[in-house]
Amino acid sequence: MVATTALLRDLVAGWRRDGLSVGLVPTMGALHAGHLSLVRAAAVENERVVVSIFVNPLQFGPGEDFARYPRDLGGDLEALDGMGVGAVFAPRLEEMYPSGATTRVRVGELDEVLEGARRPGHFEGVATVVTKLFWAAQPDRAYFGQKDAQQAALVTRLAEDLLTGISIRVCPIVREPDGLALSSRNAYLSAAERKAALVLSRALSRANEACLAGEEDPGRLRPILQRELAAEPLAEVDYAELVDPADFRSPGRLAVLAARFGSTRLIDNHLLGVRFETSPSG
Ligand code: AMP
């Protein structure tokens, strides 16, 4: 495990001198099979893999769950054991945000809608920490999950706009056998909420069936999502939209959902027209 950017930089510089490629997997820890799928993808494409574990306060809003976000560094290290990870970068808060660090990174447009509109400052926090991680780890490739579709699009934009030369790889959503997308926040759900949360994947799957059967009009697919969600009394829907994955703004085939189950806010998405799988291969 590496706790400082200085040590990480030295380690990576050594690898680079030896001509080895480097993949970075940024996480906030409490690792589950979704995270591990990114690590696996990184290990296939790179000779060395860096996994970062850092619960980034900057991407949590004032009323959000920063304080209670699950933290389990011991369990995370165990989960990564044997996966061929070259370094686990687990910095302390002061390492990532030395006092006086006021620089912020903002990606325009994509950060104004959906998650960006509902969670002011969230994407600025994400963009800032990801930029720092890119500088610290200097990877050839960085791995993100389609689970956070808007974040993945935003990071792809950031990597291009800042001329990083880093290739952003977006990996498929890993789901429980019953369809629930894996998330560290699922740990907050009561048994009843866990059951209710299945409405997200069910709604996506229903809309997908309609799409595969020939319905391509977002104006007709959206009510399918909404009808399904409305039937679940424990779901307090934040948004259910069909957007273009290029801008998350104009109508399109990416179905994006956000809903609260008790105090837990969950998101999910699916590109309609593509087979809905609970366990992607690989
Ligand atoms: P987090 O620790 O929640 O910040 O997530 C770290 C990375 O894992 C992000 O790129 C997420 O999109 C990705 N991720 C989270 N859940 C899943 C999942 N169920 N399937 C695939 N990737 C995921």
Side-chain angles (χ1 to χ4, degrees):
M1 202 190 78
V2 179
T4 67
T5 49
L7 280 175
L8 180 64
R9 224 187 299 275
D10 278 356
L11 194 61
V12 174
W15 293 339
R16 293 208 158 283
R17 268 196 305 276
D18 294 340
L20 302 172
S21 57
V22 180
L24 170 69
V25 182
T27 81
M28 298 205 297
L31 300 182
H32 52 62
H35 297 117
L36 300 183
S37 75
L38 305 186
V39 176
R40 226 168 280 124
V44 168
E45 290 189 318
N46 303 274
E47 285 148 315
R48 292 291 180 271
V49 174
V50 177
V51 176
S52 66
I53 297 179
F54 179 64
V55 184
N56 175 34
L58 214 61
Q59 71 189 69
F60 289 80
E64 294 185 1
D65 56 342
F66 174 68
R68 71 164 179 155
Y69 196 84
R71 290 161 171 87
D72 178 17
L73 188 55
D76 290 345
L77 294 175
E78 236 169 74
L80 293 172
D81 196 36
M83 293 198 73
V85 173
V88 176
F89 178 52
R92 292 163 57 90
L93 183 63
E94 312 81 72
E95 185 68 21
M96 293 305 279
Y97 298 103
S99 66
T102 52
T103 301
R104 299 289 182 264
V105 179
R106 193 171 94 69
V107 179
E109 298 187 3
L110 265 174
D111 72 353
E112 290 163 3
V113 291
L114 299 173
E115 286 302 285
R118 266 71 173 194
R119 305 182 66 189
H122 169 66
F123 282 133
E124 186 174 289
V126 170
T128 301
V129 82
V130 165
T131 303
K132 284 170 184 263
L133 291 169
F134 283 178
W135 276 103
Q138 310 251 321
D140 298 283
R141 303 177 189 85
Y143 295 78
F144 293 85
Q146 175 65 18
K147 164 73 176 20
D148 300 277
Q150 199 176 351
Q151 167 177 283
L154 183 120
V155 168
T156 303
R157 173 90 273 136
L158 179 155
E160 280 177 27
D161 289 356
L162 296 184
L163 314 177
T164 62
I166 299 167
S167 163
I168 305 301
R169 301 285 209 248
V170 183
C171 302
I173 301 177
V174 178
R175 299 176 180 280
E176 300 279 7
D178 62 7
L180 183 69
L182 295 190
S183 162
S184 306
R185 291 190 167 98
N186 291 349
Y188 301 149
L189 299 169
S190 70
E193 289 163 354
R194 166 74 179 70
K195 204 162 156 225
L198 286 177
V199 73
L200 296 176
S201 51
R202 196 163 58 239
L204 293 171
S205 164
R206 290 280 146 79
N208 198 46
E209 281 161 25
C211 185
L212 288 172
E215 181 57 77
E216 295 202 345
D217 178 0
R220 279 214 262 267
L221 290 165
R222 191 163 168 263
I224 300 176
L225 293 175
Q226 290 170 326
R227 211 175 314 127
E228 203 62 45
L229 291 166
E232 174 46 67
L234 289 187
E236 195 189 311
V237 180
D238 201 347
Y239 59 76
E241 302 287 348
L242 273 149
V243 295
D244 183 338
D247 62 9
F248 284 74
R249 208 181 274 263
S250 25
R253 285 246 289 270
L254 181 67
V256 287
L257 307 179
R260 220 172 275 279
F261 300 85
S263 60
T264 306
R265 186 174 181 279
L266 299 179
I267 57 173
D268 201 351
N269 71 86
H270 184 69
L271 187 63
L272 301 189
V274 176
R275 207 157 68 85
F276 191 86
E277 290 179 284
T278 55
S279 38
S281 49

